[in-house]
Amino acid sequence: MSADTMPVPRVLSVGRIVVWVVAALLLAYVTWQAVGNFVGVSRTLQENNAFLAKNGADALQTSVPWPALVLDVLIAPIGFVVALVVSRRMPLGRTVVVFATALCAVSALWFTLLQYVTATLSVGS
C-alpha cells in the first residue's frame, strides 16, 4: 500500500462528543418518560382490572398493551445506536444532521405509540 491510499484515521473531536452527549441526554429523557409510562399504565390497568374482577365486572377488564409499552421504552436507545453507527465516519456537520433526524424520528414514534396506548385504554370512562 502506498502512502496515498492509506486510510486516514478519524480523530475524536470535541464537537462530536458534544453532539453525542446532547443527543444522549435528550434520548435519556425520552426513555425516562417511556419507563414512567410503562410503569404507570401497567400498574393502573392491573389495579383497575383487580377492582373490576372483585366487583364481578370481568367483561370490562382491559389488557395491558405490552408490545407498545416495551417498544416505547426501546426506541430511544435503538435510535441513538443507529445514529451513532450511521454517523461514525461522517464529518461533524453531517453527524449533527443524523442525530437531529434520529431525535425527530424517535420523538415521532414515541408520541405515536403514546397516542396509541392512550386511545386503546378505557380506564375509568
Side-chain angles (χ1 to χ4, degrees), residues 15-104:
R16 291 175 69 84
I17 294 172
V18 168
V19 170
W20 294 340
V21 168
V22 169
L25 289 173
L26 292 172
L27 290 171
Y29 176 75
V30 172
T31 304
W32 179 260
Q33 292 296 318
V35 169
N37 291 336
F38 183 90
V39 171
V41 168
S42 61
R43 181 183 303 150
T44 301
L45 282 177
Q46 290 171 352
E47 290 171 357
N48 187 52
N49 288 342
F51 174 78
L52 292 172
K54 179 181 173 185
N55 291 301
D58 293 331
L60 297 175
Q61 291 184 356
T62 305
S63 63
V64 178
W66 292 114
L69 292 174
V70 170
L71 182 60
D72 203 27
V73 171
L74 294 177
I75 57 174
I78 290 171
F80 182 80
V81 169
V82 168
L84 195 62
V85 168
V86 167
S87 69
R88 71 181 181 267
R89 294 190 179 163
M90 293 182 177
L92 180 61
R94 289 185 182 174
T95 301
V96 170
V97 171
V98 168
F99 274 94
T101 304
L103 288 168
C104 291

Side-chain angles (χ1 to χ4, degrees), residues 1-7:
M1 235 186 223
S2 69
D4 295 336
T5 60
M6 298 268 307

